[in-house]
C-alpha cells in the first residue's frame, strides 16, 4: 500500500475577528488547535477592501514567534510585498495569479529565494487551466470559494469541481479552500480533496472554537484516510 503523506491543516482566518485584539485573538485560535494562521492582506485595489500589511504582521510575529503564518495576498502587486513579508517571518506567501499572469514563475522564484513557501490563489472566475503550468513551482494552490474581499460570505458550491480536478491530478498537492467554509460546507470540501482549510466566521463566531476546529479536522482526516485506502 502506498503511503499518503497528505496532512489536514486547519488555518483560521482572523479577518472577522476583533482586530484591535489581534494578538489575543490569534493566540486563542492557536490554543484551540489551529495549525496555522491565515492572515488576509488586502490593498483596496485588487479587492474593494483594506485590512493590514506587513507592519502589523511583523508586530504579530514579535508576539507569536513560532506559529506558521500564511499571508493571503489580495493585492494588485504581490512582488512589492515579498521582502517585507519575509522580513516579518511569514512562512507561506499566497498570491493571486490574476493580476500577474505573465510573471507567476519569476514571482514564485522570488518568494522562495526570500525564504517563504509559495501559494497560488485563484478567484472563483479563474479556471484551474490557468494555474496548471505553475503547479510544479508552488507548494499549495488556494481555491477561493467566495469572491475575495470580505469574510462572512456564502460558500460557492460550484468551486468544488476545481478542487476535485486538482486532487485527481495531484494526489499529494496541498489544496486550500477559503471562503464560507464551516461545519455545513466542510464535507463537500473534504470529499473533493481539500486538505488545508481556512475558516473565518465559522470559527471566530463560535462559542466553542476548539470544538469547531476539532470537527473540521475530523471530517477532513476521515476523507484523507478514505482516499489513501483507495490508492
Ligand atoms: O480571503 C478571505 C476573504 O477574501 C477570507 O479568508 C475568508 O473570507 C474567510 O472568512 P469566512 O470564513 O468568514 O468566509
Ligand atoms: Fe483568505
Amino acid at each position: 500500500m502506498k503511503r499518503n503523506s497528505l496532512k489536514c491543516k486547519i488555518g483560521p482566518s482572523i479577518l472577522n475577528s476583533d482586530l484591535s485584539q489581534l494578538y489575543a485573538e490569534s493566540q486563542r485560535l492557536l490554543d484551540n488547535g489551529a495549525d496555522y494562521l491565515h492572515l488576509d492582506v488586502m490593498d483596496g485595489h485588487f479587492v474593494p477592501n483594506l485590512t493590514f500589511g506587513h507592519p502589523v504582521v511583523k508586530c504579530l510575529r514579535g508576539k507569536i514567534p513560532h506559529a506558521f503564518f500564511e499571508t493571503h495576498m489580495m493585492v494588485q502587486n504581490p512582488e512589492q510585498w515579498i521582502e517585507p513579508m519575509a522580513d516579518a517571518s511569514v512562512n507561506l506567501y499566497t498570491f493571486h495569479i490574476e493580476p500577474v499572469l505573465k510573471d507567476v514563475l519569476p514571482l514564485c522564484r522570488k518568494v522562495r529565494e526570500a525564504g517563504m513557501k509559495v501559494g497560488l490563489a485563484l478567484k472563483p472566475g479563474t479556471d484551474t487551466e490557468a494555474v496548471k503550468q505553475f503547479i510544479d513551482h508552488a507548494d499549495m494552490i488556494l481555491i477561493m470559494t467566495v469572491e475575495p474581499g470580505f469574510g462572512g460570505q456564502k460558500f460557492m458550491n460550484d468551486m468544488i469541481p476545481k478542487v476535485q480536478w486538482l486532487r485527481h491530478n495531484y494526489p499529494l498537492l496541498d489544496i486550500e479552500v477559503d471562503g464560507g467554509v464551516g461545519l455545513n460546507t466542510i464535507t463537500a470540501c473534504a470529499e473533493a480533496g481539500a486538505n488545508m482549510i481556512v475558516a473565518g466566521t465559522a470559527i471566530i463566531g463560535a462559542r466553542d472554537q476548539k470544538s469547531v476546529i476539532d470537527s473540521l479536522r475530523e471530517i477532513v482526516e476521515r476523507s484523507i484516510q478514505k482516499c489513501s485506502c483507495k490508492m
Side-chain angles (χ1 to χ4, degrees):
M1 187 179 91
K2 276 191 218 162
R3 285 191 73 85
N4 187 337
S5 65
L6 258 195
K7 290 224 166 18
C8 163
K9 294 166 210 160
I10 310 293
S13 155
I14 45 75
L15 182 59
N16 276 8
S17 66
D18 176 358
L19 292 175
S20 74
Q21 309 289 327
L22 182 57
Y23 163 58
E25 294 268 15
S26 301
Q27 191 58 57
R28 185 154 75 106
L29 290 163
L30 293 164
D31 292 343
N32 281 324
D35 296 295
Y36 65 106
L37 294 178
H38 176 92
L39 304 170
D40 289 300
V41 175
M42 304 186 190
D43 67 350
H45 292 278
F46 180 69
V47 288
N49 199 4
L50 269 178
T51 51
F52 48 79
H54 55 93
V56 171
V57 177
K58 191 168 179 174
C59 289
L60 187 63
R61 176 55 89 199
K63 296 257 194 180
I64 303 181
H66 301 303
F68 191 97
F69 282 7
E70 175 193 18
T71 48
H72 176 192
M73 304 301 295
M74 286 165 273
V75 300
Q76 197 61 31
N77 182 7
E79 182 173 12
Q80 190 174 354
W81 312 112
I82 293 174
E83 281 304 329
M85 286 302 184
D87 182 55
S89 300
V90 164
N91 304 90
L92 169 61
Y93 188 87
T94 300
F95 63 94
H96 278 264
I97 64 169
E98 293 86 0
V100 290
L101 264 184
K102 290 203 179 94
D103 297 314
V104 174
L105 281 187
L107 284 174
C108 291
R109 204 170 306 126
K110 281 186 184 172
V111 171
R112 245 183 245 296
E113 280 167 9
M116 298 180 288
K117 290 188 167 192
V118 180
L120 298 178
L122 272 65
K123 287 169 86 169
T126 306
D127 199 79
T128 41
E129 194 62 35
V131 81
K132 229 165 100 175
Q133 58 181 308
F134 310 124
I135 292 178
D136 289 342
H137 303 267
D139 296 290
M140 181 275 276
I141 304 296
L142 161 56
I143 298 298
M144 286 303 295
T145 43
V146 297
E147 281 300 336
F150 299 90
Q153 301 182 76
K154 191 173 178 305
F155 180 82
M156 297 170 72
N157 255 312
D158 48 345
M159 294 301 110
I160 288 298
K162 291 195 204 177
V163 178
Q164 286 169 332
W165 184 88
L166 282 172
R167 179 57 69 223
H168 179 75
N169 289 287
Y170 301 90
L172 295 178
L173 178 69
D174 275 330
I175 303 173
E176 185 179 65
V177 283
D178 179 17
V181 180
L183 294 176
N184 294 330
T185 50
I186 188 64
T187 301
C189 297
E191 287 181 353
N195 67 303
M196 289 180 66
I197 308 301
V198 176
T201 317
I203 296 176
I204 300 294
R207 221 179 274 164
D208 184 349
Q209 289 189 347
K210 185 172 179 334
S211 125
V212 176
I213 291 174
D214 287 351
S215 301
L216 293 173
R217 187 191 308 289
E218 198 183 310
I219 291 166
V220 175
E221 281 181 346
R222 208 182 306 140
S223 282
I224 291 176
Q225 187 60 35
K226 232 196 266 173
C227 189
S228 73
C229 289
K230 281 194 217 144
M231 284 176 88

